[in-house]
Amino acid sequence: MLKYIARKTLYGLLVLIGVVMLVFFLFLGFGDPSRLVMGQTGDSATQANIRRELYLDQPKWKQFIYYLNDVSPISVYKKEEIQRNNFSGVFMGGNLKFGLKVPYLRHSYQSKREVGKILLEALPGTLLLAFTAMIIAILIGIPLGVLSALKQNTWIDTSSVLASLIGISAPSLFMGILIAYLFGFVFSSWTGFHVTGNWFDIDEVTGQKHLVLKNLILPAITLGIRPLAIITQLTRSAMLDVLDQDYIRTAYAKGLNKGTVVWKHALRNALNPVITAVTGWFAELLAGAFFVEYIFGWKGIGKVTVDALEKLDFPVVMGSVLVSATFFIIINILSDILYGLVDPRVTVH
């Protein structure tokens, strides 16, 4: 198991290096962002200082090495660079120090704040939205898939399959606009929902944040529609296969009641493809949340990234891509481990 985890981690690191290369040459490798940092005002001397601080006066390959050194947890820096950027970590050495640090995603061009802190403030909103959407999809999708399999070729099964096809086919962007318009605008007097709303409100007197779960309902339902449809379909298909197995007929022959056979024996062995969908789609939800957050005004990484794209704030966009890629890799490793725990027939090597 440890060897398997180490191998998967190594593969994940290689994927992350590829992502770093992609985002660097896509956003920084073919342009000069010094004007964006400086704004509309500034002389040539100021621009030269900014170019030197961002390593823009260096060759492209050297700029990439510097960026890779910044985003890597294992880095080498000069003493004055560590003091100037106030890195969080442990460093050893003289003027040139080697150390282990929190990845440095550089500073926003617009707000001049550290990108890591900006994304860290937005991350809870995205995770809350993604978890809620997936919980909705699981709690509705699995029972609906089981019911559809038990009632095969009835109106319940047909309706479930049709609804799943519509849910899979409908883009989150379209569904988000439709749901926001209907339940947040047209029927807002009955639902009490708003077209846009953040996951917290700020008290005007104390400045403290207060959780507002009401604003979570519409974006979570919107984001959960597609995984719900897929989970329903996969559960139905897996249950139909499992219910035809010999051990299910044996369980009935031993006198076990239908509920025990279906929910304890059949569903357990049908969960493997469902787990694949849940873990895979949770990573997808982090990406799908971008447009949903923007539509509903939900403060998360997605909305922060879209706002940064509008302002050409490339470090924020690059940082969000790296954070999303890291989550995707971690979730995939955890899902592979989870297979073996749920289904004893699956082994990891």
Side-chain angles (χ1 to χ4, degrees):
M1 175 66 77
L2 291 177
K3 186 182 294 185
Y4 171 80
I5 295 175
R7 187 171 69 249
K8 294 289 289 186
T9 303
L10 178 60
Y11 292 158
L13 289 175
L14 293 176
V15 171
L16 272 180
I17 292 174
V19 172
V20 170
M21 293 180 62
L22 179 64
V23 297
F24 174 83
F25 288 105
L26 184 63
F27 292 106
L28 294 182
F30 301 103
D32 186 352
S34 58
R35 176 62 65 178
L36 294 173
V37 179
M38 185 170 56
Q40 298 299 321
T41 60
D43 53 23
S44 57
T46 302
Q47 187 174 13
N49 290 332
I50 293 173
R51 285 178 55 82
R52 185 165 53 253
E53 183 179 345
L54 298 177
Y55 311 113
L56 298 174
D57 58 340
Q58 302 293 327
K60 297 297 183 188
W61 67 268
K62 191 173 288 188
Q63 292 181 37
F64 174 70
I65 295 298
Y66 284 133
Y67 183 70
L68 187 62
N69 188 55
D70 283 343
V71 299
S72 172
I74 302 175
S75 309
V76 178
Y77 287 102
K78 292 181 180 179
K79 185 177 180 180
E80 56 268 21
E81 290 178 316
I82 297 174
Q83 293 174 345
R84 182 174 67 245
N85 294 299
N86 194 25
F87 291 133
S88 299
V90 179
F91 293 90
M92 298 178 295
N95 185 50
L96 191 64
K97 294 182 178 292
F98 172 84
L100 185 68
K101 72 173 192 332
V102 176
Y104 172 53
L105 301 177
R106 298 190 173 178
H107 285 74
S108 165
Y109 292 162
Q110 300 296 326
S111 65
K112 308 300 187 274
R113 296 177 60 206
E114 285 189 29
V115 172
K117 292 182 179 179
I118 295 174
L119 297 179
L120 195 61
E121 291 176 359
L123 183 60
T126 297
L127 292 179
L128 177 62
L129 178 59
F131 270 115
T132 306
M134 187 53 70
I135 289 172
I136 291 173
I138 292 172
L139 293 181
I140 299 176
I142 291 179
L144 189 59
V146 173
L147 180 63
S148 181
L150 294 175
K151 303 291 184 180
Q152 186 182 13
N153 298 326
T154 65
W155 69 269
I156 295 177
D157 184 30
T158 305
S159 301
S160 173
V161 171
L162 179 61
S164 297
L165 291 175
I166 295 174
I168 293 172
S169 304
S172 295
L173 178 62
F174 170 75
M175 293 302 297
I177 295 173
L178 182 63
I179 290 175
Y181 176 73
L182 288 177
F183 297 100
F185 179 73
V186 177
F187 302 118
S188 61
S189 57
W190 286 280
T191 62
F193 298 136
H194 305 289
V195 174
T196 60
N198 200 4
W199 59 280
F200 63 84
D201 282 338
I202 299 178
D203 191 293
E204 295 181 357
V205 178
T206 63
Q208 293 181 337
K209 293 181 179 180
H210 301 284
L211 190 65
V212 184
L213 293 179
K214 182 180 73 172
N215 295 334
L216 175 64
I217 297 173
L218 293 184
I221 291 174
T222 302
L223 194 60
I225 287 175
R226 295 190 72 189
L228 188 156
I230 291 175
I231 289 172
T232 301
Q233 286 284 66
L234 286 175
T235 304
R236 175 186 180 275
S237 178
M239 284 295 294
L240 288 175
D241 290 338
V242 170
L243 290 174
D244 285 335
Q245 299 296 320
D246 291 338
Y247 71 89
I248 297 295
R249 287 189 286 269
T250 302
Y252 279 121
K254 289 182 177 180
L256 295 178
N257 62 63
K258 187 174 183 179
T260 302
V261 173
V262 170
W263 296 102
K264 184 176 181 180
H265 297 283
L267 182 59
R268 177 182 174 87
N269 290 288
L271 278 180
N272 209 37
V274 179
I275 292 174
T276 306
V278 169
T279 52
W281 267 97
F282 182 77
E284 294 284 343
L285 288 180
L286 296 177
F290 278 39
F291 294 110
V292 174
E293 289 178 3
Y294 189 74
I295 291 170
F296 289 96
W298 183 265
K299 185 174 176 56
I301 289 181
K303 188 175 187 304
V304 168
T305 305
V306 175
D307 289 341
L309 275 172
E310 291 180 346
K311 300 174 183 177
L312 301 180
D313 200 347
F314 296 144
V316 176
V317 179
M318 295 164 71
S320 69
V321 172
L322 292 179
V323 169
S324 299
T326 302
F327 269 101
F328 189 89
I329 291 168
I330 292 174
I331 290 170
N332 275 290
I333 293 174
L334 294 177
S335 67
D336 288 340
I337 297 172
L338 191 59
Y339 295 158
L341 298 178
V342 173
D343 192 343
R345 296 171 299 179
V346 178
T347 57
V348 290
H349 301 286

